[in-house]
Amino acid sequence: MKPPAALARLLNPPPPKYHGVLGVFYYVDDAADAVRALRSAGLGPLSIFSPIPHHDLEHAMEQGTSLVRWVTFSGGLLGITLGFTLCIYSVLSWPLVVGGKELISLPPFVVIGYESMILLGALFNLLGMLALGRLPQVQSKAPYDPRFSEDKIGIWVPGHGETLKQAEQLLRGHQAEEVHVHA
Amino acid sequence: MGENEITYEPAMTPDDVGATEHVPPAMTQKSLNDDILRMIGKPGKVWWAVFLLDLTILAIGLIAERNQIVQGIGVAGHTRPVMWASYVTNFVFWVGIAHCGTLVSAILFLFRSHFRRAVYRIAEAMTVFGVMTAGLFPIVHLGRPWFPYWLFPYPTQRGLWPNFRSPLEWDVFAVTTYLTVSSIFFLVGIIPDAAAARDRAKHWFMKLLYTGFSFGWTGGNNQWKHFYSAYLYFAALATPLVLSVHSVVSWDFAVAQVPGWHSTIFAPYFVAGAIFSGVALVINLLIIIRKGFKLEHIVTLDHMEKLSKLVLLTSTIVGYSYLVEFFSAWYGPNAYERNMFWWRFTGHFWWAAWIMFSCNVIFPLALWFKPVRRNMPVLFVLMLLVNVGMWFERFVIIVSSLAHPFEPNSWGVNYRMSWTEAAILAGSFAWFGMFFLIFVRVLPAFSIAELKETLAAPMRRKR
Amino acid sequence: MSEDVVFNRRDFLKLAGIGAAATLSGCAQPPTDRLIPYLIAPDNILPGVATWYASTCRECPAGCGLLVKTREGRVIKVEGNPAHPVNQGALCGRGQATLQGLYNPDRIASPMAREDGAWKKITWEDALKRAAEKLGQAVRDHRGVAIITENATGSFEKLAGEWAGAAGGTHLVYEPFSYESLREANRRCFGLSAVPHFDFERAKMVVSFGADFLETFGSPVAQARGFAAMRARPESGFFVAVEPRLSLTGANADQWVAVRPGGEIALALGMARVILTEGLGAGDKSLGEAVAAYTPEAVEQQSDVPAELVQRLARRFAASRPSLAVAGGIASQSEQSVALIAAVNLLNQVAGNVGETVRFDRTLNFDAVAPFGEVQRLIQSMDAGQIDVLVVHGANPVYAAPAWSGFAAAMDKVQYRISLSGMMDETSDRCDLLLPSLHALESLGDAEPARGVWSLLQPTMKPVPMFDAHPAGDTLIALAKASGFGAFPAAWSEYLVARWQPLHKRFGAGKSWGAFWDESLARGGVWEEPDATQVKWSGSPAFAAPALKGGSGPALVLYASPNHYDGRGANKPWLQELPDPTTKAVWNSWVEIHPETAAGLGLAMGDPVKVETSAGSVTAPAYLYAGIRKDCVAIPLGQGHTAYGRYANGRGVNALDLLPASQDAASGAVAYLTARVRISKAAGPADLAMTQREKQQADRQIAQIIPVAVLLGTAPAPARRDTSESVPGGPGSSAHEVEEVEAFNSRPGKYTEPREMKPGEKTPAHAVTAYEPIHRARAARQIPISEGAYKNAQHRWAMAIDLNSCNGCQACVVACSAENNVPTVGPDLIQRGREMMWIRIERYEEKLDAAASSSRNDVRFVPMMCQQCGDAPCEPVCPVYATYHNPEGLNAQVYNRCVGTRYCSNNCPYKVRSFNFFDYSAPEKPTFAFPEPLNWQLNPDVTVRSKGVMEKCTFCVQRILEGKGNARDENRPLKDGEIQPACAQGCPTQAIVFGDLMDPESRVSKHSHGERRYWALNDLNTKPGITYLKKMERETA
């Protein structure tokens, strides 16, 4: 059964023209070595595909800490502020005494502020993750292979001409199972 | 560098997993994909049979609800003084069920207890669907169920705002927040697995569906980096949230001055109770699924035993809370309270109180024995009893406290459950079941990615 | 109902809306004439403003004066007429419910004739023709004609008499409770056949031999007022109830002597003997030999009353002068009732009370009421076929005459039976022709309920259009003319006017007739203080104790229901739903049994029990009541109708069926206390709807008492419970609690106390009068309870309820339902605790001891409604501000905002909020509470609440608004007592005082500071707006 034409185009778009080399690994340590070699050779920027994250690869890539936490923090901050503001504004805008309690009775408002903090914190956290992780992504910036979601690790070295050869050698040198060159 | 230590856990080598139960040698990253993605796909006869039965019960519940809206809340058994009864009981019950998921996925995540990996997706699904069920009851129990939106703070030209001092208003915030956060947590966790499903999907529609769920995930290093960082903060936010939500729910009662409600112990006591009942239901569901889908090698007896230990722990906390309540009633100065607790166990609803006590405190004592914890049929029955007990706990707290208020004049008017309420209660289980049945057939019910992490990462050079 | 005359509920509410708008804004376009059936010219009606008319209550022969409130030409409430000598402004529940007689959906809609068994609507012409035919025939042939009326008194009675005379027939005034034994006894003792005026107010001690003078005996409202006045004096006012079953009246007694049924007579004479032998009395000493036989020991042996108690009672009775002994109710309806009443007369005589507290000035008018002997004669002649035409108006003998009298059967032998009743009661149901009469509130007339009182009835509204009825007087005259006998004026009104000419001469004081007539109508009649007829002792009948028929079973005690009187109240939903003051049961009959007796039979509360006599048997739910002797069972009268409309028909049982043929030896009156019964458990589930099941207050101190010794300063204040040990079962003592309570209450609610505005403090936009500088600053501690909410509060509405005056009669409950459109929900919903009443009287039986020797009797009544708490628990829990604190200290309830979470009710410690579980206000719903035309009674100033919202007492906020509006219009400050909620207004004993706590001079402020004040569930610190005054606890004899 075929999808409608429009969908078909969206689902399997015409593969874009990639320029670079893709090495497919099974063993993590091989992949890690390859990454180090490539980076010391000044190739890159590399991107790595893996079914699960691996410390070795990360260390090899020497990537820093994510910035998501700051986004999350500011979200939480905003949330608690909004929570209290809403409560206090509402009682002042129409002052009704209930049960002889003070108009601005803070203890109950703490609950509202607290929940709002968590709500906005979580929402910002989500947005941060999507923004920084470039999600959702419609078009992979490197040739993607379904096996990457199973048990294979892919290393993509973008480049042209000379660099392609150099990269290919380095990858093969580190026992890549397959090497695909996109010239 | 320190950051890297906690962005995700190191791949587990067979020895630090204690190999045997956790990872049968046969299991590889590929076989995991096979086993778990096999669950997705064309449902069989059994599934359809269960699903249709479920929809029938749901329909009955809906008819009862419609009848109640047309005729008035009077078709339920409420009386003065028992103005809250089974609907609020169900609300608290389902919110409680919803607590286990976040506990397993968030708290155990922070505690690095790896056995959660095999079970947390199921638990999270249960959380989301549990909150979706619980959220219905505050509306169902309203006298004028067509005005629930009046409880939400939205600007009107009349300048009306809700009363933020009311515990019911706190509920609005707590429950909606909990629903949002737990759903996000649930869906974010699914992203990598959805990608795996996508890469295997045959039918164009499924492909489209999983593309949606996976946000076009490719497992790139940058994605993994922010994914795990965010996941950590979700856990960090969900943990205090889960504790606060049931505390807030408990304050619906603790803030009121009704004898039997007005007690400071309620918050921790309710949270423990919530986890207690939630884990019990997870165990029930897992026992069915691992058998139904032949996944005993993934959800092993070890996992089940660890979960039942959690039940045992919370059961003792709950039992302790009961005793402390009675003690403080007896020891404390408040004679209304004393009178109330005596009545609770000897008065009109004595049977409910004793069901509560035996199911939540006495029967679970069996879990002290390893053979019981590892015997699935026995465990199944035990966990069912626990949830019966927990439903009755809320019933006892709500109904028996209300039925014996300060004013002797209104004593003796006792609540009787009506058919409408019974139908709606059954319908709520069907509502929950409907989502769950769809879930196991559509989304990966176990976290493939996290399970892979429990396998030894493939190394050419042995370390 | 025809749409063009009547308007449906929706229009009505529209109109009400306009009305309400008018009260607020003062300007409103007059509604279209079609909508309003005007009584008088439109320019006299101000839409939205009530018009009041004086009239007279016809629910019982007492004849209280009414003020009838009409809105847009429609009667919406009846209240007591303050100027009227009988009730002086108050009105009992039965009287207030007369509205539902007027608007009863089951009133006969048009003349009807019975044709081969079925009723057929006919026109008035036709009806009169048919009647005249038979009647003329009978008169021409000098066959028997009889007319039976109730004790209407006044002109109508006269007319009926003349009518019967002209027709050569008999006129019979029938009343089930005819006081004939009382009249007979007085004839024999004092040579005057009359129902005396008992002056409770002057009495220093009262002994009641079964007289339920707060319920149905004599003139209850007036007596309740006098009784309360007597009880308000701590130094005297001792009250002893001598009766086998503790009635509502008895429940107010300090001491209950549970005498053996029939033993009252011995006790009365025994007391008299003690007084005579010890020479204590003021009265004449010549009566010694009459009572010689009744030594205390003899009395003990005849009545179970310990000899020394007899002496103590007698001594105290003689010592507290003037005292009062009164016999009535069940005790005075045995085979020896004349003897008993004579004995009590003798007791009064020797104690010197006759002429003091027993006076023959304003005697009740029962002069024309036929002794049962006459009724029997009529029955015989009917039975013998000597009566061709029978006309009945008002009376309902088929229901109310005991089965053994055979009235129904005899009536069937009459050729042609005509009913002039407005309702299809049992008697009308056996007639051949119905000529419906107008309800009292629709008709012109008069009454002489008591000597020196000529009370007027006037049409307070145009007759309710869906009922095609005529004034009874006109019907009689028309009948006479049509059948050609007698000479009567053209119309009833002329007859009445003619009758009033002498009164004009007497009271007119030179005024023109017109002026006099208008004044009298406006005032409600004319009256004078009649001077007492002096009586002297003229011997007494032979004294003998009544013998009870039938085996050795428990004695059967039948008593008149306080709600339904002789059964004529049973067709009014308010009265059916009004809890019985003793059992708190509704919509039913029941059998009161002592718990021990019941245990012997394996009976639990509500179990069906079968009661049998030789005459018949009835089955009704059992009510286990510690207030009845173990050797008695009691059943209320007034239920068990087989007709009389949807609300009465088939509810409960008619216990009259149990009576064996038995009459008073001397007067021939029906003996109600005459049978012994067999009781057995019947099959079936327990089924008795009660609004209060638990009658012990479990030491919660809802109802409190204070020994008179403390009030008189002869004893120290008793040690009270420590507040820290909050209530039940606590080690009950530590005197410092008093101070604690004060501190507790005089502590101002920090945020509910008026205060000066801080300099520079701004008034926020659309603030509800909050945050403006307080003008009348007031010391925080001046008033013991919270002031209510806002910083510029001008008033703090509050109430003080005197439990010493409240006798549990529940007039306030009916008043509240009438004022606030409270729906009735029926027994099934009440079973499930869903009554809607905004105010209830809680009954707490602290000490009930059926042993005749028992000393203290302690039953307490607490009117419980919204306490309008200063710090109300219900308010903060509402998520949508549907209930909040208003600037005048009221705990406001906004029906339109309520979403029905019911949290407020859960958190209300007093449980005074009622919830609309169903739709009681929608005509299309089965639960509709106001079937046309009952909805005509709805008060247009009060919303009719819809399904799913909470409601409660508002202190009659609509009346507060009206009062403030009037004061503003006349641009003067409010006067204390100017605003009266319905409950306070209707209270026969003025137990409820309403006013402004911020006015230190107001009555309510004074009460709130009084020595007897306390607050219900005070230790919850709700700072209630209602202050209760403790009941006085007297030393028993």
Side-chain angles (χ1 to χ4, degrees), chain C residues 11 45 59 142 260 273 460 496 583 862 875 897 958:
Chain C
D11 299 345
I45 273 194
E59 291 301 315
H142 303 293
R260 180 193 305 161
R273 182 182 180 284
T460 52
L496 182 70
T583 62
V862 190
E875 288 166 357
R897 180 64 170 166
Q958 67 277 11

Side-chain angles (χ1 to χ4, degrees), chain C residues 430-701:
Chain C
R430 285 177 171 269
C431 289
D432 306 293
L433 184 69
L434 304 181
L435 303 173
S437 302
L438 290 174
H439 187 272
L441 291 175
E442 299 166 317
S443 38
L444 186 66
D446 64 352
E448 299 172 33
R451 227 174 105 209
V453 179
W454 294 268
S455 195
L456 277 166
L457 286 74
Q458 61 177 316
T460 52
M461 72 181 283
K462 176 180 164 195
V464 183
M466 59 279 288
F467 305 120
D468 178 15
H470 286 179
D474 282 328
T475 312
L476 282 185
I477 293 173
L479 281 176
K481 291 204 181 313
S483 34
F485 63 84
F488 297 99
W492 157 246
S493 50
E494 290 174 29
Y495 183 87
L496 182 70
V497 168
R499 282 254 311 159
W500 271 66
Q501 294 313 322
L503 290 172
H504 174 213
K505 287 185 187 49
R506 215 166 120 200
F507 295 92
K511 286 197 212 70
S512 76
W513 161 256
F516 167 71
W517 184 241
D518 292 352
E519 274 177 25
S520 313
L521 282 175
R523 195 191 305 109
V526 294
W527 34 78
E528 63 180 1
E529 273 308 324
D531 38 15
T533 319
Q534 294 312 326
V535 294
K536 62 181 216 338
W537 188 258
S538 57
S540 60
F543 296 122
L548 300 187
K549 296 184 173 56
S552 59
L556 174 65
V557 177
L558 301 183
Y559 63 96
S561 154
N563 293 2
H564 308 311
Y565 190 52
D566 58 3
R568 68 184 78 174
N571 64 336
K572 305 181 180 61
W574 283 340
L575 295 181
Q576 285 282 7
E577 188 135 325
L578 185 66
D580 175 81
T582 302
T583 62
K584 295 294 171 187
V586 293
W587 292 94
N588 207 344
S589 304
W590 53 88
V591 181
E592 292 169 23
I593 306 179
H594 190 279
E596 288 181 23
T597 321
L601 293 161
L603 283 169
M605 185 71 91
D607 286 347
V609 52
K610 183 153 186 253
V611 182
E612 299 169 89
T613 64
S614 53
S617 82
V618 300
T619 303
Y623 178 81
L624 276 49
Y625 182 35
I628 184 169
R629 279 173 61 99
K630 299 184 181 66
D631 59 0
C632 295
V633 297
I635 307 178
L637 297 173
Q639 291 279 38
H641 285 270
T642 55
Y644 207 35
R646 71 189 72 170
Y647 298 111
N649 195 347
R651 303 220 175 260
V653 297
N654 183 356
L656 290 172
D657 302 347
L658 290 173
L659 286 180
S662 159
Q663 290 171 269
D664 180 81
S667 67
V670 178
Y672 291 94
L673 174 62
T674 187
R676 294 193 177 279
V677 295
R678 291 182 304 284
I679 50 177
S680 52
K681 184 171 185 184
D687 174 28
L688 183 60
M690 286 182 278
T691 57
Q692 180 184 0
R693 294 149 186 77
E694 176 60 63
K695 302 210 170 50
Q696 304 301 321
Q697 58 174 336
D699 191 26
R700 308 235 155 170
Q701 300 296 318

Side-chain angles (χ1 to χ4, degrees), chain C residues 273-303:
Chain C
R273 182 182 180 284
V274 174
I275 296 176
L276 287 169
T277 49
E278 301 186 2
L280 308 166
D284 59 35
K285 317 261 181 293
S286 67
L287 298 164
E289 70 285 356
V291 298
Y294 293 90
T295 61
E297 295 65 30
V299 172
E300 172 160 16
Q301 185 261 330
Q302 289 178 41
S303 67

Side-chain angles (χ1 to χ4, degrees), chain C residues 699-786:
Chain C
D699 191 26
R700 308 235 155 170
Q701 300 296 318
I702 309 279
Q704 299 185 15
I705 56 172
I706 182 169
V708 285
V710 176
L711 293 172
L712 298 171
T714 59
R720 287 196 280 173
R721 211 185 339 92
D722 180 348
T723 38
S724 69
E725 176 63 53
S726 46
V727 194
S733 64
S734 83
H736 69 278
E737 188 247 7
V738 183
E739 288 68 36
E740 278 198 13
V741 172
E742 299 317 327
F744 217 45
N745 282 277
S746 53
R747 187 183 71 232
K750 182 172 165 208
Y751 303 112
T752 62
E753 202 56 22
R755 67 158 167 81
E756 289 292 355
M757 205 159 105
K758 285 199 226 68
E761 197 173 344
K762 287 220 169 17
T763 306
H766 63 276
V768 190
T769 72
Y771 293 104
E772 286 158 22
I774 167 170
H775 306 302
R776 307 169 50 227
R778 196 188 40 65
R781 291 177 174 277
Q782 184 172 333
I783 284 158
I785 54 180
S786 164

Side-chain angles (χ1 to χ4, degrees), chain B residues 19-20 23-28:
Chain B
T20 54
V23 195
M27 207 193 289
T28 69

Side-chain angles (χ1 to χ4, degrees), chain C residues 3 24 30 89 145 169 185 222 257 330 352 358 383 399 468 502 506 513 527 567 646 745 791 808 898 945 983 1022 1030:
Chain C
E3 194 55 43
L24 301 179
V145 173
V257 178
I330 178 66
V358 182
D383 207 28
Y399 168 83
D468 178 15
R506 215 166 120 200
W513 161 256
W527 34 78
R646 71 189 72 170
N745 282 277
K791 295 167 182 58
C898 178
R945 281 78 58 184
C983 52
T1022 53
K1030 292 173 187 167

